[in-house]
Amino acid sequence: GENVEQHPSTLSVQEGDSAVIKCTYSDSASNYFPWYKQELGKGPQLIIDIRSNVGEKKDQRIAVTLNKTAKHFSLHITETQPEDSAVYFCAAHGSSNTGKLIFGQGTTLQVKP
Amino acid sequence: DAGVTQSPTHLIKTRGQQVTLRCSPKSGHDTVSWYQQALGQGPQFIFQYYEEEERQRGNFPDRFSGHQFPNYSSELNVNALLLGDSALYLCASSSLGGARETQYFGPGTRLLVL
């Protein structure tokens, strides 16, 4: 069935270092891949997304890459700051006829000052 | 521009009771999706509503039902509550006319079933 695997489950970096979170998906029809940041007690916040016709997208310190052949995509955060500490979720959207997002298990990112 | 709003923020119920959660979508959005997020896990899709109809449903029992109103707001109803229904319930809105896959989440309703 549809599945999204996310690694690592926890990630600890020093302030200023880079952080990379990786996801793989099973449904080859998936064509939209958002990333969400969830802080304690809050709902997931969309931080960046990428569609299947694009291989890479960047927004300031955040970038996402997509490899459709291998069915994996990654989130890259450069120059990490303590306020980047949160749980990050990747997700995959199915074909255009489906409405649901399938989420990974989440990565808890800790940025140490 | 108001984002997605949900009410109530917290709720405590006992087993067997029924609960209704409410969601107002982001301005300009016409599609509402509901997700269940258990502690330490990613959100799981319950169902999606568009034009007051359920478009798609995830792997949840019939105890979970919903409704969408003409103003695009939505309700999630859960009957015969079980302890395992304790979770954060998230509402997400999107626009079918635009990039409909882009979903924006509300703050959630935390439900505790005792």
Side-chain angles (χ1 to χ4, degrees):
Chain A
E2 301 163 315
N3 189 44
V4 174
E5 295 286 337
Q6 182 173 346
H7 299 282
S9 57
T10 60
L11 181 58
S12 181
V13 300
Q14 284 297 133
E15 182 178 359
D17 287 349
S18 296
V20 180
I21 303 171
K22 299 182 179 181
C23 290
T24 59
Y25 60 97
S26 60
D27 185 358
S28 57
S30 293
N31 55 14
Y32 172 69
F33 307 90
W35 285 88
Y36 289 88
K37 174 184 180 181
Q38 188 173 27
E39 297 175 317
L40 199 61
K42 297 184 178 181
Q45 175 194 1
L46 179 69
I47 56 172
I48 195 168
D49 56 13
I50 190 167
R51 300 181 189 280
S52 59
N53 58 346
V54 175
E56 183 174 359
K57 183 177 179 181
K58 189 174 182 180
D59 182 6
Q60 299 183 340
R61 297 185 297 109
I62 295 174
V64 58
T65 58
L66 171 65
N67 183 327
K68 283 223 72 177
T69 303
K71 292 194 285 188
H72 67 72
F73 56 113
S74 300
L75 177 71
H76 304 252
I77 306 175
T78 59
E79 300 173 20
T80 54
Q81 302 167 2
E83 50 265 38
D84 293 330
S85 296
V87 181
Y88 290 81
F89 291 97
C90 63
H93 187 276
S95 68
S96 59
N97 290 328
T98 73
K100 68 180 179 182
L101 291 175
I102 303 158
F103 283 82
Q105 300 89 334
T107 296
T108 301
L109 173 64
Q110 181 187 27
V111 180
K112 299 177 181 178
Chain B
D1 178 21
V4 179
T5 60
Q6 293 186 243
S7 64
T9 55
H10 296 83
L11 206 51
I12 300 175
K13 292 286 187 178
T14 56
R15 280 179 300 174
Q17 285 189 313
Q18 179 264 344
V19 68
T20 297
L21 311 181
R22 296 175 176 81
C23 171
S24 290
K26 187 177 170 65
S27 177
H29 285 184
D30 54 15
T31 303
V32 173
S33 303
W34 286 92
Y35 292 80
Q36 180 194 66
Q37 185 177 25
L39 200 61
Q41 297 183 21
Q44 298 287 317
F45 177 80
I46 303 175
F47 42 53
Q48 183 180 84
Y49 276 84
Y50 170 67
E51 292 187 331
E52 302 180 48
E53 291 188 357
E54 184 181 292
R55 294 183 70 229
Q56 189 180 15
R57 188 179 184 90
N59 189 25
F60 279 81
D62 292 343
R63 298 187 297 109
F64 290 76
S65 63
H67 187 77
Q68 185 179 35
F69 299 94
N71 67 353
Y72 308 123
S73 67
S74 176
E75 288 182 350
L76 165 66
N77 300 292
V78 186
N79 294 322
L81 285 166
L82 303 174
L83 296 180
D85 295 332
S86 295
L88 180 68
Y89 288 85
L90 295 162
C91 167
S93 76
S94 56
S95 172
L96 199 63
R100 65 172 183 252
E101 305 94 341
T102 306
Q103 297 184 17
Y104 297 89
F105 283 84
T109 294
R110 186 161 297 281
L111 172 64
L112 178 61
V113 182
L114 302 177

